[in-house]
Amino acid sequence: MEVPLRSIHVVAGVIRDPRGRILLARRSGGRDLAGLWEFPGGKREPGESSEQALARELKEELGIEAEVGHTLIEVPQQYPDKRIRLEVRDVLRWKGSPRGREGQALTWVAPERLGRYSMPPADRPVVGMLRQPPLYLVTPEPGLDHAAWLAGLETALEAGHDRVQLRAPRLAAEAAGTWRTLVEAAVARCREAGAEVLLNRDIALAAALGVGVHLGSEQLATLTAPPLPAGLPMGASCHTLEDLRAAQALGCDFAVLGSVQATASHPGAPTLGWDGFARMREQVSLPIYAIGGLGADDLAEARRHGAQGIAAIRDFWPAPLDLSGDLRASA
């Protein structure tokens, strides 16, 4: 009979100094995952609230008095001998000078440099949440009015969307030259707005234009190395745990997992639900967007289940859509 893994609730804090740097602590020798860097905190004891547990841990470990703020993300993560839930809270204010009272090394890190530090699997999605956009816009099929489609993209960029996937499977298949011209115009608008842009599936065109690529799940099984130069973003659509593991092994910056809920474009299709999403989330450490019947209002719920954010077409596009065709963003 399989013995259930013990479950541990860990609370950690994002502590910022006046320069905006974030404090990391190094796990000392003799502990699991020794030598890796993590967000400071510790286990929540029975009878404690998360705020009480984190305040106590930060006083014991760092010698500071902390005012604990709201939850940023909760990451479920399975290890060989345990299952943890890492609840990460914002530390609003603190008094004292942080020092490693248990012999652990400390370092202040600029947010853009967090990815350079080796961390436990549960901490890595936190870095994604801190550094990557919470919303991922997937464009709809352009239809016949390309000018209106570009105007819709501009409106979405003006609304603050700063990570965009350009996706039009029908147009790309039926009129590749027209799609390239439209992509070039869209890329120019995204760059002018300072938004990161990824092109759906077309590795060659993404490389030619110097933009990122969003891989389809079927492409993950065919690639053994990143298909683009270092520095260009790479995402992947995933439906299964095997997809997620392949995306992680390939070095994707993030994955999109769904569908979480029923969608207007695919009524009656199977869904993961939030519990199913979390069960896959805990098996990998890369940042993951949730997709499928979701919008910006679902961001807090997504982060309670370990997602860094929400990916969507319908909720993020400024004009009404006809999604009767093959517009499944997670396909």
Side-chain angles (χ1 to χ4, degrees), residues 18 20 24 36 140 150 172 191 242 246 283 314:
L24 297 180
L36 299 183
L150 287 171
R191 285 174 170 160
E242 290 71 24
Q283 300 292 325
R314 178 184 290 273

Side-chain angles (χ1 to χ4, degrees), residues 183-203:
V183 165
E184 290 172 348
V187 168
R189 284 160 172 77
C190 288
R191 285 174 170 160
E192 184 177 353
E196 181 182 79
V197 57
L198 297 92
L199 185 57
N200 179 265
R201 286 181 169 83
D202 195 332
I203 296 170

Side-chain angles (χ1 to χ4, degrees), residues 22-61:
I22 294 172
L23 186 65
L24 297 180
R26 195 170 192 177
R27 296 179 68 87
S28 54
R31 302 175 62 192
D32 290 345
L33 306 172
L36 299 183
W37 294 90
E38 64 183 1
F39 297 93
K43 184 169 61 175
R44 193 175 82 173
E45 301 294 345
E48 284 185 316
S49 67
S50 295
E51 293 90 341
Q52 292 169 336
L54 183 56
R56 172 185 55 76
E57 287 284 349
L58 296 181
K59 184 173 184 179
E60 293 173 356
E61 293 186 7

Side-chain angles (χ1 to χ4, degrees), residues 232-298:
L232 292 179
M234 183 169 59
S237 292
C238 297
H239 311 292
T240 66
L241 180 55
E242 290 71 24
D243 291 343
L244 287 174
R245 286 173 171 161
Q248 180 168 281
L250 192 60
C252 288
D253 297 289
F254 64 90
V256 173
L257 178 62
S259 289
V260 175
Q261 297 179 358
T263 65
S265 58
H266 288 74
T271 59
L272 293 175
W274 284 118
D275 289 343
F277 179 95
R279 283 194 296 271
M280 291 196 204
R281 152 82 284 168
E282 71 175 5
Q283 300 292 325
V284 294
S285 62
L286 79 169
I288 303 175
Y289 288 97
I291 195 169
L294 305 173
D297 292 344
D298 297 295

Side-chain angles (χ1 to χ4, degrees), residues 53-118:
L54 183 56
R56 172 185 55 76
E57 287 284 349
L58 296 181
K59 184 173 184 179
E60 293 173 356
E61 293 186 7
L62 306 178
I64 63 173
E65 300 282 348
E67 181 181 343
V68 178
H70 67 282
T71 300
L72 297 173
I73 191 172
E74 297 182 42
V75 182
Q77 190 71 48
Q78 184 174 320
Y79 291 92
D81 61 337
K82 59 180 176 283
R83 176 177 279 117
I84 76 165
R85 173 167 290 275
L86 176 62
E87 179 182 353
V88 181
R89 306 291 291 255
D90 192 25
V91 175
L92 303 176
R93 284 170 286 275
W94 46 277
K95 296 179 181 178
S97 298
R99 61 189 188 280
R101 298 185 67 189
E102 299 175 350
Q104 74 275 33
L106 305 177
T107 187
W108 292 98
V109 183
E112 64 271 15
R113 297 173 66 90
L114 286 171
R116 302 183 183 185
Y117 287 76
S118 296

